[in-house]
Amino acid sequence: MYFELTDEQKMIEKMIKEFSDEVVAPGAYERDKTKEFPLEIFKELAAMGMMGLPFSEEYGGGNADTISFAIVTEHLSRACASTGITYSAHISLGGAPLHLFGTEVQKQKYLVPICTGESFGAFGLTEPNAGSDAGGTETKAELQNGQFTINGAKVFITNASYAKHLALTAITDIVDGKKEISAIIVPTDAKGFTIKADYEKMGLNASNTTELILDNVEVPEENLLGTRGNGFKQFLTTLDGGRIGIAAMAVGIAQAAFDKSVKYAKERKQFGKALADFQATQFKLADMAVKIEIARNMVYKAAWLKDAGKPFGKESAMAKYYASEMAMEVCDEAIQIHGGYGYMREFEVERYLRDAKLLEIGEGTSEIQKMVIARYILNS
C-alpha cells in the first residue's frame, strides 16, 4: 500500500488543520459548557466546500475521497469533538444514503441542500426499543393511495434540529411473519413531526442529539429511498461507511489528548525534573503514540478500500472498534499524566474522555463490532 497522501489530500489536510486550530478549537471549551451548537463554524465549512466533500460535483459536492473525509473528521474532532460528530453524521449518515440509494430526482431535491450546507444531514434509525437490535424497529409506515402514513419514535438522532429532511427506517409490511423494513425520506417540517432536543449528555455537549416523534406523518410514496424492503440492508451499508467517520473521530480526540499530555509533561516539574524526564511518563507517551498511529492506519486502510470499490465492512468495523477503545485508553492516560489537574475542566483532557465514550456506543457498540468482525471471519 502506498502511504503518502495525494496532493489534493495534503491540501485538504493543511486547510482543515489551520481552520480547526484557528476557528474551531478556541471556542470548544466554552461550547462544552454552554451547549451552543457551532452553527457559524458550519457556515464557514460550507463556504469552504466541505459540507458535501465526498459527493459528486453534480450535486454540489467536492468529489473528494473517503480518506479526505476521514482527515477532515479527524482534525475537526481533535479541535472539538462536538463539531467532529456533527460533520461525520452530516456526511456519512445524512448524505451517504441519499447518494447511494436515491433516485436522480431525490438527489437533486435532498442531497444538493446537504452538500451546499443549506440543510444538515441526519438519519433516523435508533428507537426506544431498537438500539443494537436495529431489527427491533417498531415505527410503522402504512401505504394507502400513494401516501405513507408514519407513526413511531426515534431516539439519539444527530443533527435533526438543523435538518430540513432526513431518511428514517420504518416497517412497511409483514411478510411471512417477518418485518419488511424500508427507508423513507421525511421533511422535518411535515405535519405531525416533532423534534425534541432536551437530552442531558455526558459529553459532546455542543452537538445536536434529538428525539423524533411521528404522529400520522404523511409523505408521498415517491419519498421511498431505494427499494422497498431493503431498508435494513441499506442502513447496514450506511453504517459501514459511518464507522470510518467514528474511527476518525476517535483518532482526532486521542491526538488532542496526546498533544496536551506531551506539552504538560515538558512543562510540569516534579522532584526537580520535568515529568517528561521520568521513564514512567515516557513509556505512557510512547504507548499512546503507538496506539494512535495504529488506529489512524486502520482508518486509512478502511477508507482506501472503500474508495477502491473493494469490500471494507470488516475493516471499518475493526477500525471503529479499535480506535474507539484506543481513544478511551489514551484519554484516561492523559488525565493520569496531568494528575489532579487532569480532573479539572480547564485543562480539557477530562472533556476528551467524556466525548470519547460515545464512540464505543454510537454506530454499533464495541460488542456489536466484535460480532460483525467475527461474522466476517467465520463466513470467509
XYZ file of all heavy atoms in Angstrom, residues 135-205:
530
model
N -33.110 -4.449 14.152
C -34.224 -5.192 13.580
C -35.473 -5.121 14.436
O -36.557 -5.532 14.025
N -35.322 -4.581 15.650
C -36.469 -4.420 16.540
C -37.275 -3.169 16.245
O -38.096 -2.748 17.071
N -37.053 -2.580 15.097
C -37.783 -1.363 14.680
C -39.287 -1.537 14.868
O -39.871 -2.562 14.498
C -37.483 -1.058 13.198
O -36.086 -0.777 13.065
C -38.283 0.128 12.706
N -39.911 -0.509 15.442
C -41.360 -0.536 15.662
C -42.099 0.556 14.899
O -43.317 0.490 14.736
C -41.653 -0.408 17.163
C -41.138 -1.598 17.983
C -41.328 -1.411 19.473
O -41.723 -0.283 19.891
O -41.084 -2.364 20.238
N -41.385 1.576 14.431
C -42.011 2.637 13.643
C -42.656 2.024 12.406
O -42.049 1.202 11.720
C -40.974 3.689 13.229
O -40.457 4.315 14.400
C -41.567 4.738 12.311
N -43.884 2.415 12.127
C -44.638 1.843 11.008
C -44.943 2.903 9.962
O -45.177 4.068 10.272
C -45.949 1.228 11.503
C -45.789 -0.004 12.377
C -47.149 -0.617 12.673
C -47.024 -1.945 13.419
N -46.587 -1.788 14.795
N -44.945 2.476 8.704
C -45.329 3.342 7.586
C -46.339 2.580 6.735
O -45.992 1.599 6.078
C -44.111 3.731 6.764
N -47.583 3.012 6.768
C -48.653 2.349 6.010
C -48.893 3.105 4.704
O -49.041 4.323 4.694
C -49.931 2.298 6.839
C -49.788 1.462 8.097
C -51.107 1.362 8.864
O -52.136 1.840 8.333
O -51.087 0.821 9.984
N -48.927 2.350 3.598
C -49.108 2.952 2.282
C -50.552 2.823 1.826
O -51.085 1.719 1.716
C -48.175 2.274 1.263
C -48.218 2.809 -0.166
C -47.775 4.270 -0.213
C -47.342 1.949 -1.079
N -51.181 3.959 1.582
C -52.551 3.994 1.061
C -52.684 5.166 0.101
O -52.280 6.292 0.417
C -53.573 4.148 2.196
C -53.800 2.886 2.993
C -54.950 3.050 3.981
O -55.259 4.159 4.418
N -55.606 1.946 4.324
N -53.218 4.863 -1.066
C -53.478 5.907 -2.064
C -52.239 6.757 -2.361
O -52.326 7.975 -2.485
C -54.629 6.811 -1.589
C -55.900 6.037 -1.344
O -56.254 5.130 -2.102
N -56.613 6.382 -0.268
N -51.116 6.075 -2.479
C -49.888 6.765 -2.851
C -49.240 7.583 -1.751
O -48.322 8.367 -2.014
N -49.692 7.396 -0.499
C -49.139 8.146 0.623
C -48.711 7.198 1.741
O -49.441 6.255 2.091
C -50.180 9.117 1.198
C -50.546 10.278 0.295
C -49.566 11.426 0.398
O -48.893 11.758 -0.570
N -49.471 12.027 1.568
N -47.516 7.426 2.299
C -47.096 6.721 3.509
C -47.577 7.511 4.723
O -47.382 8.729 4.798
C -45.568 6.612 3.589
C -44.967 5.555 2.718
C -44.155 5.896 1.647
C -45.198 4.206 2.977
C -43.579 4.921 0.847
C -44.634 3.218 2.175
C -43.824 3.573 1.112
N -48.223 6.825 5.657
C -48.570 7.431 6.932
C -47.680 6.798 7.995
O -47.744 5.587 8.228
C -50.055 7.220 7.279
O -50.869 7.779 6.248
C -50.401 7.867 8.614
N -46.837 7.616 8.624
C -45.792 7.109 9.517
C -46.109 7.422 10.970
O -46.460 8.563 11.322
C -44.421 7.714 9.148
C -44.145 7.555 7.646
C -43.304 7.067 9.963
C -42.922 8.298 7.152
N -45.983 6.401 11.805
C -46.167 6.558 13.248
C -45.040 5.847 13.985
O -44.688 4.709 13.649
C -47.514 5.965 13.690
C -48.689 6.840 13.296
O -48.977 7.844 13.947
N -49.357 6.465 12.210
N -44.473 6.531 14.967
C -43.407 5.916 15.753
C -42.504 6.957 16.378
O -42.831 8.154 16.420
N -41.361 6.511 16.877
C -40.414 7.408 17.537
C -38.983 6.941 17.283
O -38.718 5.749 17.140
C -40.692 7.459 19.039
N -38.093 7.885 17.218
C -36.661 7.623 17.078
C -35.929 8.363 18.201
O -36.368 9.424 18.646
C -36.136 8.110 15.722
C -36.835 7.488 14.509
C -36.454 6.033 14.306
C -37.128 5.441 13.078
N -36.717 4.028 12.836
N -34.806 7.812 18.639
C -34.051 8.437 19.725
C -32.576 8.553 19.357
O -32.090 7.839 18.484
C -34.189 7.649 21.051
C -35.622 7.690 21.561
C -33.724 6.198 20.884
N -31.888 9.477 20.040
C -30.441 9.689 19.886
C -30.064 10.037 18.446
O -29.036 9.591 17.933
C -29.651 8.460 20.346
C -30.059 7.905 21.687
C -30.107 6.543 21.905
C -30.405 8.761 22.731
C -30.487 6.028 23.145
C -30.793 8.255 23.972
C -30.833 6.888 24.180
N -30.884 10.851 17.786
C -30.645 11.194 16.387
C -29.835 12.496 16.296
O -30.243 13.531 16.828
C -31.981 11.345 15.627
C -32.863 10.100 15.840
C -31.722 11.595 14.148
C -32.201 8.791 15.477
N -28.709 12.435 15.615
C -27.805 13.575 15.491
C -28.248 14.514 14.368
O -28.608 14.068 13.286
C -26.370 13.080 15.214
O -25.975 12.183 16.249
C -25.382 14.241 15.181
N -28.245 15.815 14.674
C -28.434 16.908 13.698
C -29.876 17.188 13.301
O -30.117 18.098 12.494
C -27.641 16.660 12.402
C -26.144 16.677 12.603
O -25.652 17.110 13.630
N -25.420 16.192 11.604
N -30.846 16.442 13.792
C -32.213 16.568 13.268
C -32.805 17.966 13.430
O -33.588 18.414 12.588
C -33.127 15.534 13.912
N -32.439 18.673 14.494
C -32.978 20.025 14.700
C -32.569 20.982 13.587
O -33.218 22.009 13.360
C -32.511 20.591 16.039
O -33.009 19.851 17.119
N -31.476 20.654 12.892
C -30.940 21.532 11.858
C -31.061 20.912 10.463
O -30.482 21.414 9.504
C -29.479 21.863 12.174
C -29.336 22.607 13.476
C -29.175 21.910 14.674
C -29.401 23.995 13.528
C -29.073 22.592 15.880
C -29.295 24.680 14.720
C -29.133 23.968 15.902
O -29.033 24.641 17.104
N -31.815 19.828 10.370
C -32.033 19.158 9.084
C -33.399 19.542 8.529
O -34.382 19.604 9.273
C -31.948 17.647 9.262
N -33.471 19.777 7.226
C -34.754 20.072 6.596
C -35.481 18.799 6.177
O -36.679 18.827 5.892
C -34.535 20.979 5.382
C -34.028 22.364 5.765
C -34.027 23.311 4.579
C -33.628 24.715 5.022
N -33.670 25.689 3.901
N -34.739 17.694 6.164
C -35.311 16.396 5.813
C -34.340 15.328 6.288
O -33.162 15.603 6.519
C -35.499 16.273 4.291
C -34.271 16.634 3.527
N -34.054 17.904 3.020
C -33.157 15.928 3.220
C -32.890 17.942 2.428
N -32.313 16.752 2.529
N -34.835 14.136 6.477
C -33.963 13.022 6.847
C -34.578 11.711 6.391
O -35.790 11.611 6.188
C -33.692 13.003 8.354
C -34.881 13.004 9.322
C -35.449 11.608 9.509
C -34.442 13.545 10.689
N -33.721 10.721 6.210
C -34.197 9.380 5.900
C -34.357 8.623 7.209
O -33.538 8.756 8.120
C -33.207 8.654 4.994
N -35.423 7.852 7.312
C -35.633 7.042 8.510
C -36.156 5.674 8.117
O -36.680 5.471 7.018
C -36.565 7.737 9.502
C -37.963 8.189 9.039
C -38.948 7.020 9.007
C -38.503 9.275 9.964
N -35.983 4.717 9.016
C -36.440 3.355 8.760
C -37.800 3.120 9.396
O -38.090 3.631 10.482
C -35.430 2.331 9.314
O -35.136 2.650 10.683
C -34.149 2.352 8.510
N -38.613 2.335 8.707
C -39.949 2.022 9.209
C -40.423 0.692 8.639
O -39.967 0.256 7.570
C -40.933 3.137 8.823
N -41.304 0.059 9.349
C -41.907 -1.195 8.874
C -42.978 -0.857 7.849
O -43.926 -0.125 8.149
C -42.543 -1.970 10.044
C -41.497 -2.273 11.115
C -43.183 -3.270 9.550
C -42.105 -2.765 12.428
N -42.829 -1.367 6.641
C -43.805 -1.095 5.588
C -44.712 -2.291 5.310
O -45.681 -2.174 4.565
C -43.086 -0.680 4.286
O -42.002 -1.578 4.021
C -42.531 0.735 4.415
N -44.392 -3.450 5.915
C -45.241 -4.635 5.735
C -44.713 -5.751 6.643
O -43.598 -5.662 7.174
C -45.208 -5.099 4.275
C -46.414 -5.955 3.898
O -47.239 -6.246 4.789
O -46.515 -6.321 2.710
N -45.518 -6.769 6.808
C -45.093 -8.004 7.472
C -45.228 -9.120 6.447
O -46.326 -9.401 5.957
C -45.953 -8.339 8.716
C -45.917 -7.177 9.725
C -45.475 -9.635 9.353
C -44.577 -6.973 10.388
N -44.106 -9.743 6.077
C -44.095 -10.783 5.048
C -43.637 -12.097 5.676
O -42.513 -12.192 6.168
C -43.161 -10.395 3.877
C -43.197 -11.480 2.810
C -43.569 -9.050 3.288
N -44.513 -13.097 5.651
C -44.200 -14.407 6.253
C -43.741 -14.265 7.696
O -42.787 -14.915 8.150
C -43.126 -15.142 5.441
C -43.589 -15.482 4.030
O -44.811 -15.707 3.854
O -42.755 -15.498 3.115
N -44.407 -13.372 8.416
C -44.093 -13.181 9.829
C -42.871 -12.330 10.098
O -42.512 -12.114 11.260
N -42.214 -11.835 9.033
C -41.006 -11.019 9.203
C -41.292 -9.573 8.797
O -42.055 -9.307 7.881
C -39.862 -11.582 8.362
C -39.382 -12.961 8.812
C -38.208 -13.429 7.967
C -37.711 -14.789 8.431
N -36.547 -15.267 7.612
N -40.639 -8.674 9.507
C -40.816 -7.256 9.222
C -40.161 -6.877 7.891
O -39.013 -7.250 7.641
C -40.186 -6.403 10.329
C -40.820 -6.576 11.694
C -40.036 -5.780 12.742
C -40.631 -5.983 14.120
N -39.841 -5.280 15.170
N -40.903 -6.165 7.068
C -40.331 -5.557 5.871
C -39.969 -4.124 6.249
O -40.845 -3.300 6.501
C -41.348 -5.558 4.730
C -40.846 -4.854 3.467
C -41.955 -4.606 2.466
O -42.674 -3.582 2.623
O -42.116 -5.430 1.545
N -38.673 -3.854 6.344
C -38.207 -2.535 6.763
C -37.722 -1.752 5.552
O -36.909 -2.242 4.766
C -37.087 -2.656 7.814
C -37.628 -3.351 9.072
C -36.509 -1.288 8.159
C -36.592 -3.591 10.147
N -38.238 -0.552 5.411
C -37.867 0.307 4.290
C -37.344 1.636 4.814
O -37.565 1.995 5.974
C -39.068 0.554 3.375
O -39.622 -0.669 2.920
N -36.648 2.360 3.958
C -36.167 3.705 4.300
C -37.013 4.727 3.551
O -37.292 4.557 2.363
C -34.696 3.861 3.932
N -37.400 5.765 4.250
C -38.282 6.784 3.687
C -37.722 8.160 4.019
O -37.287 8.413 5.149
C -39.713 6.644 4.248
C -40.268 5.247 3.950
C -40.630 7.721 3.681
C -41.563 4.926 4.677
N -37.736 9.063 3.044
C -37.282 10.440 3.257
C -38.453 11.260 3.793
O -39.538 11.282 3.193
C -36.769 11.064 1.947
C -35.660 10.205 1.345
C -36.287 12.492 2.185
C -35.317 10.565 -0.091
N -38.226 11.932 4.911
C -39.297 12.689 5.558
C -38.848 14.135 5.794
O -37.817 14.362 6.442
C -39.689 12.060 6.909
C -40.865 12.813 7.531
C -40.035 10.583 6.740
N -39.592 15.118 5.302
C -39.286 16.516 5.625
C -39.527 16.755 7.115
O -40.534 16.286 7.669
C -40.280 17.312 4.774
C -40.755 16.351 3.727
C -40.723 15.003 4.353
N -38.625 17.480 7.762
C -38.770 17.667 9.209
C -39.865 18.667 9.574
O -40.242 18.766 10.749
C -37.440 18.129 9.822
O -36.974 19.279 9.120
C -36.390 17.037 9.724
N -40.376 19.409 8.575
C -41.474 20.340 8.870
C -42.838 19.728 8.551
O -43.849 20.432 8.530
C -41.294 21.655 8.107
C -41.328 21.481 6.589
O -41.410 20.323 6.115
O -41.274 22.499 5.871
N -42.851 18.414 8.309
C -44.122 17.749 7.992
C -45.069 17.807 9.193
O -44.640 17.757 10.351
C -43.868 16.296 7.597
N -46.338 17.903 8.919
C -47.359 17.926 9.981
C -47.290 16.633 10.788
O -47.228 15.543 10.218
C -48.747 18.082 9.355
C -49.860 18.192 10.381
C -51.219 18.340 9.707
C -52.336 18.399 10.756
N -53.682 18.516 10.129
N -47.266 16.769 12.105
C -47.213 15.605 12.976
C -45.805 15.154 13.332
O -45.616 14.199 14.085
N -44.784 15.859 12.779
C -43.384 15.514 13.040
C -42.852 16.455 14.128
O -42.756 17.666 13.921
C -42.571 15.673 11.761
C -41.223 14.990 11.781
C -40.580 14.671 10.588
C -40.580 14.667 12.958
C -39.341 14.046 10.569
C -39.344 14.051 12.967
C -38.713 13.741 11.771
N -42.494 15.905 15.280
C -41.970 16.693 16.391
C -40.535 16.291 16.687
O -40.220 15.100 16.758
C -42.818 16.494 17.666
O -44.185 16.826 17.380
C -42.315 17.361 18.810
N -39.680 17.298 16.863
C -38.272 17.068 17.205
C -37.994 17.668 18.572
O -38.250 18.851 18.812
C -37.327 17.694 16.158
C -37.581 17.088 14.777
C -35.867 17.503 16.555
C -36.821 17.766 13.654
N -37.494 16.834 19.483
C -37.165 17.289 20.837
C -35.660 17.155 21.042
O -35.071 16.127 20.707
C -37.911 16.456 21.880
C -39.424 16.612 21.823
C -40.125 15.580 22.700
C -39.781 15.764 24.164
N -40.524 14.790 25.022
N -35.039 18.200 21.596
C -33.588 18.186 21.816
C -33.289 18.590 23.261
O -32.669 19.619 23.517
C -32.895 19.124 20.845
N -33.736 17.777 24.204
C -33.541 18.136 25.612
C -32.795 17.076 26.414
O -32.952 16.953 27.625
C -34.894 18.438 26.268
C -35.922 17.332 26.047
O -35.537 16.256 25.539
O -37.105 17.539 26.374
N -31.957 16.280 25.725
C -31.145 15.287 26.428
C -30.067 15.978 27.274
O -29.481 16.973 26.855
C -30.437 14.352 25.439
C -31.324 13.357 24.737
C -31.470 13.388 23.346
C -31.999 12.365 25.441
C -32.256 12.462 22.683
C -32.789 11.435 24.780
C -32.917 11.493 23.402
O -33.700 10.571 22.757
N -29.804 15.434 28.451
C -28.652 15.831 29.261
C -27.592 14.763 29.059
O -27.756 13.629 29.499
C -29.042 15.943 30.737
C -29.961 17.112 31.058
C -29.251 18.454 30.932
O -28.026 18.508 31.163
O -29.913 19.451 30.600
N -26.484 15.137 28.401
C -25.494 14.145 27.976
C -24.211 14.217 28.801
O -23.890 15.247 29.385
C -25.153 14.342 26.497
C -26.333 14.176 25.553
C -25.919 14.364 24.102
C -25.517 15.788 23.804
N -25.212 16.001 22.368
N -23.459 13.138 28.763
C -22.162 13.065 29.422
C -21.123 13.917 28.696
O -20.293 14.579 29.322
C -21.699 11.602 29.445
C -20.302 11.357 29.975
S -19.947 9.578 29.909
C -18.224 9.565 30.430
N -21.163 13.892 27.376
C -20.198 14.630 26.574
C -20.801 15.052 25.259
O -22.015 14.960 25.054
N -19.940 15.529 24.347
C -20.386 16.011 23.042
C -21.541 16.995 23.206
O -22.541 16.961 22.491
C -20.798 14.832 22.146
C -19.685 13.817 21.859
C -20.241 12.567 21.191
C -18.595 14.432 20.986
N -21.384 17.889 24.174
C -22.488 18.745 24.596
C -22.918 19.777 23.561
O -24.053 20.258 23.603
C -22.120 19.453 25.900
C -22.188 18.513 27.086
O -23.106 17.713 27.195
N -21.207 18.601 27.973
